[in-house]
């Protein structure tokens, strides 16, 4: 069995392109594995924290249009057009975005929960649950009580999750992720680092991810031949 290909992904729960990018990457990884056949290496994914708007209050008094109009200084009509476009792109990737019921919030605690879930071997499940809760179901992902409920829904211990969040146990890990993003020069998400050397910015098409994974695999094969 070949050594796994590690993919580190910087993202924010409140980033619509990050959920779209997640789906496109998953399809690209599946395409790569299918093309490579039985000899394909495992693709191992780890998510890292990135806050797009760290100054956002936990309970924002307004809808997504009002937030983006204020945060980006855009005309509300422009924001509505942008959200409609993103909703259409999300739908094309199999995602159902409901910006009308979305509860904009600070995501620092959600990032802490992702690190708690990683420690329990359930980071990928937690990320999927948080994205769906936020963009599709209109759930609140900024308050401890709501996050504990979401953690329990994927089988994590409710009391342990609450303890981790209330004690800020994983806040240092979140900060370390953000510091690493600065070192890499990451200025937006999603951002994918493949095998520690190839960076892919944005929600690229599945084929792009499949090609990058294939490039890593072929380079490894060349090294093995030369050795």
């Amino acid at each position: 069995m070949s050594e796994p290909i590690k993919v580190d992904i910087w993202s924010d729960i409140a980033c619509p392109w990050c959920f779209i990018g997640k789906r496109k990457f998953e399809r690209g990884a599946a395409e790569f594995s299918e093309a490579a056949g039985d000899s394909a290496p495992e693709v191992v994914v780890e998510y890292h924290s990135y806050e797009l708007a760290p100054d956002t209050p936990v309970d924002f008094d307004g809808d997504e249009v009002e937030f983006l109009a204020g945060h980006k200084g855009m005309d509300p009509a422009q924001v509505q057009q942008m959200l409609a476009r993103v909703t259409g792109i999300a739908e094309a990737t199999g995602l159902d975005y409901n910006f009308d019921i979305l509860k904009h919030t600070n995501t620092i605690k959600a990032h802490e929960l992702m690190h708690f879930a990683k420690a329990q071997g359930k980071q990928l499940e937690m990320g999927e649950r948080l994205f769906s809760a936020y963009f599709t179901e209109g759930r609140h992902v900024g308050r401890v009580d709501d996050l504990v409920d979401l953690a329990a829904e994927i089988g994590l211990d409710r009391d342990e999750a609450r303890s981790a969040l209330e004690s800020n146990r994983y806040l240092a890990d979140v900060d370390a992720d953000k510091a690493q993003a600065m070192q890499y020069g990451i200025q937006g998400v999603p951002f994918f680092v493949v095998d520690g050397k190839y960076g892919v910015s944005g929600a690229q098409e599945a084929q792009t991810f499949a090609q990058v994974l294939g490039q890593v695999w072929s380079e490894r094969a060349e090294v093995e031949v030369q050795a």
Side-chain angles (χ1 to χ4, degrees):
M1 176 67 75
S2 302
E3 180 184 348
I5 297 176
K6 176 76 180 300
V7 180
D8 294 281
I9 305 174
W10 272 261
S11 72
D12 192 356
I13 298 303
C15 166
W17 294 106
C18 290
F19 200 9
I20 292 169
K22 181 178 186 294
R23 279 292 182 275
K24 290 185 175 182
F25 169 77
E26 289 166 348
R27 290 178 184 173
E31 288 177 12
F32 161 70
S33 296
E34 183 177 353
D38 294 339
S39 60
E42 180 185 5
V43 178
V44 176
V45 174
E46 181 177 348
Y47 277 86
H48 299 274
S49 306
Y50 190 99
E51 287 185 277
L52 287 172
D55 57 342
T56 306
V58 172
D59 292 298
F60 176 75
D61 186 19
D63 60 20
E64 184 72 351
V65 173
E66 291 170 318
F67 175 82
L68 290 175
H71 188 69
K72 295 183 177 293
M74 296 172 62
D75 179 81
Q78 278 185 296
V79 174
Q80 289 178 329
Q81 291 177 349
M82 181 181 72
L83 293 180
R85 174 174 169 267
V86 172
T87 299
I89 294 171
E91 185 177 358
T93 62
L95 299 173
D96 182 18
Y97 279 12
N98 291 303
F99 285 110
D100 291 344
I101 61 172
L102 183 148
K103 292 180 175 58
H104 207 88
T105 186
N106 190 290
T107 58
I108 188 70
K109 286 296 177 186
H111 285 299
E112 290 181 44
L113 184 61
M114 284 286 284
H115 278 280
F116 168 74
K118 181 174 74 172
Q120 314 301 315
K122 289 202 168 191
Q123 190 193 45
L124 299 188
E125 295 93 329
M126 193 75 258
E128 180 72 20
R129 189 68 198 94
L130 285 166
F131 275 131
S132 294
Y134 186 71
F135 285 109
T136 299
E137 302 164 24
R139 301 274 292 271
H140 203 299
V141 300
R143 298 184 298 233
V144 170
D145 286 348
D146 299 271
L147 290 169
V148 167
D149 287 342
L150 291 170
E153 287 176 18
I154 67 161
L156 292 172
D157 185 272
R158 182 184 297 271
D159 292 336
E160 288 183 8
R162 180 179 296 280
S163 174
L165 294 176
E166 291 181 344
S167 67
N168 298 324
R169 188 185 309 159
Y170 293 97
L171 183 58
D173 296 287
V174 174
D175 290 339
D177 279 351
K178 291 157 63 176
Q180 182 68 64
M182 289 185 64
Q183 290 179 4
Y184 278 148
I186 297 172
Q187 297 181 328
V189 288
F191 194 92
F192 304 77
V193 177
V194 183
D195 209 37
K197 58 182 178 179
Y198 291 112
V200 180
S201 179
Q204 302 293 329
E205 295 303 319
Q207 184 180 16
T208 298
F209 292 115
Q211 288 174 344
V212 174
L213 292 168
Q215 177 71 18
V216 169
W217 188 46
S218 64
E219 288 176 359
R220 286 185 180 181
E222 289 178 10
V223 170
E224 288 177 5
V225 169
Q226 292 172 0

